[in-house]
Amino acid sequence: MLRPFLVTNTMGLFDLKATVHGGGISGQAQAIRHGIARALELYEPAFRPALKKDGMLTRDPRKVERKKPGRKKARKAFQWVKR
């Protein structure tokens, strides 16, 4: 979570309070890191190349796949009986 501050050499210049909902611990940490990076970019546009090079401005595009009809979950099917 502190990586955006390390990349831009702004460690100790800002106080931070973040509230996140949903997802797991790792996903929430990545969301906070992404939010910090975007805020730093808005604060100083010159930070953009360093943050982009480190992959901080890229959002994780994965989402939960929807449940399909006739199946137990998104991909898990009901038990198949041969006879």
Side-chain angles (χ1 to χ4, degrees):
M1 285 192 326
L2 299 176
R3 190 100 176 116
F5 294 122
L6 293 171
V7 170
T8 57
N9 295 320
T10 54
M11 187 66 99
L13 293 178
F14 300 98
D15 291 330
L16 176 72
K17 182 178 180 186
T19 305
V20 288
H21 299 281
I25 295 170
S26 177
Q28 288 182 348
Q30 289 176 7
I32 292 171
R33 188 188 76 176
H34 185 244
I36 293 168
R38 289 184 63 168
L40 285 171
E41 181 197 2
L42 287 175
Y43 172 74
E44 181 59 59
F47 291 155
R48 183 174 172 81
L51 290 168
K52 193 163 176 69
K53 181 179 170 256
D54 228 38
M56 305 270 178
L57 299 175
T58 306
R59 186 184 160 274
D60 189 359
R62 296 178 293 181
K63 292 195 174 183
V64 177
E65 194 173 334
R66 77 175 200 87
K67 183 194 173 299
K68 278 46 165 225
R71 290 186 170 255
K72 212 170 187 135
K73 293 178 161 185
R75 295 187 179 216
K76 184 176 184 178
F78 291 106
Q79 189 170 9
W80 183 73
V81 180
K82 188 171 181 180
R83 290 188 181 88

